[in-house]
Amino acid sequence: MKRVIVLGSTGSIGRQALEVCRWQGYRVVGLAAGKNLETLSQQIAEWRPSLVAADKSLHGELKSRFPWLKLASPEEVAALEAEVAVAAIPGLAGLSPTRVAAQTGKRIALANKEAMVAAGPLLWQEVEAHGAEILPVDSEHSALFQALLGERREDVAELILTASGGPFLREPQDLSQVTPEMALNHPRWRMGPKVTIDSATLFNKGLEVLEAKELFRFPLEGIKVLVHPQAYVHGLVRFVDGSLKAQLGPTDMRLPIQYALTYPERAETPLRNLPLPGELEFLEPDLNRFPALKVAYEAGRRGGVAQVAVSAADEVAVEAFLAGRIPFPHIPKILAQVLENTPSLPLTWENLFAVDAWAREEAKRWT
């Protein structure tokens, strides 16, 4: 029986990963969560994991409800003996436990794009040194991974990520009037607030471009974005002869999650007989309307710690927008300002955390 650890178990990806574990009869041996007491309690009662990590404010109540429970840090949960670790703790907070999962030789089902964006080359060093494995959980990167299988790298001309376009693809004309409630109303996906706002600014797609660059070790100039409102084609690979391979499927994150857990096998799901859409539309992204995507590309071109800086600044800017302190168009302006001021430093573990802390303070100056 495959043993699974879920880092970020109470979030959207974590809950769906646990549903896939139910489908497949896997054993969940570790859970790491934040402050969602009731959801975490339900998960503990169902899975009876060996270790659980949670915000310290929950420890007393959890011990009261589950006297047998062993509480630990996310890193200790990540170090448990298991075949797969689902890395779904958002932001740079997920980097340390993901690193531990790599150091303990696991397959990492990677949903935390910031870890790869900020520390891709460093994470690959850990993976290769300890015999670990990374399989993407993002639907777009899973699509690219599947389309690249069996192909020679020298035959690949470009990687194409699709974007739904979010809630503001065409309306309203004036994005300065956008409220957090409007931005959180995504037309296709039900996700956490941070990733939903990132989808509305298209910075989420910028992070995915940077993640693809690091995950597939592919040149940035060969990674493109197309807006695809139907969200049925998740990614395409164009080859040097002009051929294209695409991965298509229902708008359901359980599919790429399951693929990362079961690869190289494909297991049956309740989704296999869903109908195909009658229309597939592809549009070039409007970089004037969504300048955050342009900022992400510029960070990728600069290299070093630039990707760390914009990723950290975005967390601060999104939080400020959700709290009503800045208007929606101010988010990409903060990212651009922080990127402009980012020091030119090589990427090391020490520089990564130092620049992350600096970028957060720098971003706060503009909120």
Side-chain angles (χ1 to χ4, degrees), residues 199-350:
S199 181
T201 64
L202 244 62
F203 187 66
N204 191 50
K205 206 52 52 178
L207 288 173
E208 288 178 9
V209 166
L210 298 178
E211 182 182 3
K213 166 179 169 270
E214 305 299 345
L215 188 61
F216 300 108
R217 297 161 171 182
F218 202 80
L220 182 69
E221 59 272 17
I223 304 172
K224 305 293 171 61
V225 172
L226 284 176
V227 175
H228 171 51
Q230 293 78 26
Y232 198 80
V233 178
H234 301 294
L236 308 95
V237 174
R238 192 191 304 270
F239 297 94
V240 292
D241 64 355
S243 299
L244 286 153
K245 277 175 72 176
Q247 190 270 336
L248 298 80
T251 307
D252 194 310
M253 282 302 299
R254 292 173 297 179
L255 277 178
I257 292 169
Q258 175 169 287
Y259 188 70
L261 268 60
T262 62
Y263 174 83
E265 299 171 4
R266 290 185 185 271
E268 288 190 17
T269 77
L271 309 172
R272 68 176 185 172
N273 293 321
L274 295 179
L276 276 67
E279 180 181 82
L280 299 175
E281 182 183 13
F282 299 94
L283 312 164
E284 291 289 333
D286 183 345
L287 296 182
N288 292 319
R289 187 167 174 80
F290 301 106
L293 179 57
K294 188 161 54 176
V295 175
Y297 270 100
E298 180 57 32
R301 280 188 284 270
R302 293 192 183 196
V305 295
Q307 295 176 189
V308 178
V310 293
S311 180
D314 181 62
E315 290 189 37
V316 174
V318 168
E319 184 182 337
F321 167 68
L322 289 172
R325 296 198 302 274
I326 62 170
F328 184 77
H330 208 57
I331 296 174
K333 291 179 181 177
I334 291 173
L335 303 184
Q337 191 64 57
V338 170
L339 178 60
E340 185 63 31
N341 297 339
T342 298
S344 181
L345 296 169
L347 181 64
T348 65
W349 287 112
E350 294 76 14

Side-chain angles (χ1 to χ4, degrees), residues 8 14 81 120 125 138 141 156 216 259 264 277-278 283 307 313 320:
E81 279 195 30
Q125 287 174 12
D138 270 348
H141 299 87
V156 178
F216 300 108
Y259 188 70
L283 312 164
Q307 295 176 189

Side-chain angles (χ1 to χ4, degrees), residues 13-279:
I13 296 295
R15 295 194 306 272
Q16 291 177 88
L18 290 172
E19 188 165 357
V20 170
C21 289
R22 277 186 216 107
W23 286 353
Q24 300 306 321
Y26 293 157
R27 184 177 167 218
V28 177
V29 297
L31 299 170
K35 296 182 179 180
N36 190 331
L37 175 63
E38 296 309 320
T39 299
L40 180 57
S41 293
Q42 292 167 10
Q43 293 173 353
I44 293 168
E46 177 179 0
W47 298 101
R48 296 186 69 85
S50 304
L51 285 181
V52 168
D55 189 88
K56 286 185 178 178
S57 64
L58 305 188
H59 283 198
E61 182 62 26
L62 287 173
K63 289 298 285 185
S64 173
R65 295 185 184 191
F66 308 101
W68 50 268
L69 186 63
K70 291 183 180 178
L71 291 163
S73 68
E75 290 77 12
E76 288 170 317
V77 173
L80 280 167
E81 279 195 30
E83 284 69 47
V84 183
V86 178
I89 297 174
L92 211 62
L95 177 55
S96 181
T98 302
R99 185 184 181 188
V100 171
Q103 291 171 335
T104 48
K106 296 177 178 64
R107 170 179 292 181
I108 299 168
L110 186 68
N112 173 351
K113 59 177 64 66
E114 291 88 352
M116 186 56 68
V117 168
L122 303 176
L123 204 53
W124 273 120
Q125 287 174 12
E126 300 283 17
V127 166
E128 289 164 354
H130 298 96
E133 185 182 20
I134 297 178
L135 266 74
V137 160
D138 270 348
S139 59
E140 296 84 358
H141 299 87
S142 178
L144 295 177
F145 177 83
Q146 293 176 59
L148 287 167
L149 285 173
E151 300 290 349
R152 301 190 313 164
R153 182 53 60 98
E154 58 266 34
D155 294 336
V156 178
E158 64 182 18
L159 309 180
I160 303 172
L161 295 157
T162 57
S164 70
F168 307 130
L169 178 58
R170 297 180 177 92
E171 299 291 339
Q173 279 298 118
D174 183 5
L175 292 177
S176 66
Q177 303 306 308
V178 163
T179 65
E181 292 72 27
M182 292 163 66
L184 289 169
N185 187 27
H186 195 281
R188 288 281 169 182
W189 302 100
R190 289 294 165 260
M191 309 171 287
K194 162 71 164 59
V195 70
T196 305
I197 300 303
D198 284 347
S199 181
T201 64
L202 244 62
F203 187 66
N204 191 50
K205 206 52 52 178
L207 288 173
E208 288 178 9
V209 166
L210 298 178
E211 182 182 3
K213 166 179 169 270
E214 305 299 345
L215 188 61
F216 300 108
R217 297 161 171 182
F218 202 80
L220 182 69
E221 59 272 17
I223 304 172
K224 305 293 171 61
V225 172
L226 284 176
V227 175
H228 171 51
Q230 293 78 26
Y232 198 80
V233 178
H234 301 294
L236 308 95
V237 174
R238 192 191 304 270
F239 297 94
V240 292
D241 64 355
S243 299
L244 286 153
K245 277 175 72 176
Q247 190 270 336
L248 298 80
T251 307
D252 194 310
M253 282 302 299
R254 292 173 297 179
L255 277 178
I257 292 169
Q258 175 169 287
Y259 188 70
L261 268 60
T262 62
Y263 174 83
E265 299 171 4
R266 290 185 185 271
E268 288 190 17
T269 77
L271 309 172
R272 68 176 185 172
N273 293 321
L274 295 179
L276 276 67
E279 180 181 82

